[in-house]
Amino acid sequence: MSTSIVFIVYVNDAPEAARFYADLLEIRPSFETPRYIAFDLGDGADLALWSGHFDELAPAVPRTSEVCLALPGGPDAIDQRFERWVAKGVRVVSEPRDEVFGRTFVVADPDGNLIRVAPVD
């Protein structure tokens, strides 16, 4: 079995999306081509942005999957991250709230892909 996994997020413009994710997650790409850009998340996991799969993504189309950023530090850390991201101008899909797994919120990237922030399990 492979010891690595790549989570692919489909976007309209990979370089533009990479700038968004780099700013939001405060990381830099580890691999770049004009239509495929990856970020090394550590421990054999990558987040990749790919603009070569669809002709055009519409942000208004409902998404059925999410990328989840799991944060240590409890509810205060979740709320602080929400405030930082709101200050960056992200589109909020769901404001911070308590769920069965802890405090969480959801934002969307410019293409409508969902990004959840939740506590570390």
Side-chain angles (χ1 to χ4, degrees):
M1 181 173 170
S2 174
T3 58
S4 67
I5 188 165
V6 177
F7 299 95
I8 298 173
V9 176
Y10 301 117
V11 298
N12 284 307
D13 183 326
E16 179 182 326
R19 286 188 291 278
F20 173 84
Y21 279 89
D23 180 53
L24 198 66
L25 302 176
E26 299 174 353
I27 58 176
R28 295 285 164 233
S30 57
F31 179 82
E32 296 184 60
T33 69
R35 295 184 350 212
Y36 181 92
I37 300 173
F39 295 87
D40 180 359
L41 302 176
D43 294 332
D46 287 346
L47 172 65
L49 308 170
W50 186 22
S51 61
H53 187 67
F54 293 103
D55 289 333
E56 184 175 328
L57 295 172
V61 174
R63 298 303 199 268
T64 58
S65 64
E66 303 171 339
V67 171
C68 182
L69 174 64
L71 293 181
D76 289 340
I78 303 292
D79 289 342
Q80 288 171 5
R81 184 62 58 106
F82 177 77
E83 294 303 324
R84 282 179 38 206
W85 285 9
V86 166
K88 291 177 183 270
V90 299
R91 181 170 66 90
V92 175
V93 175
S94 173
E95 294 201 6
R97 67 180 187 278
D98 295 320
E99 288 289 348
V100 296
F101 52 83
R103 193 95 172 134
T104 188
F105 69 87
V106 179
V107 300
D109 74 9
D111 292 297
N113 297 301
L114 302 178
I115 305 163
R116 177 177 298 279
V117 175
V120 172
D121 289 337

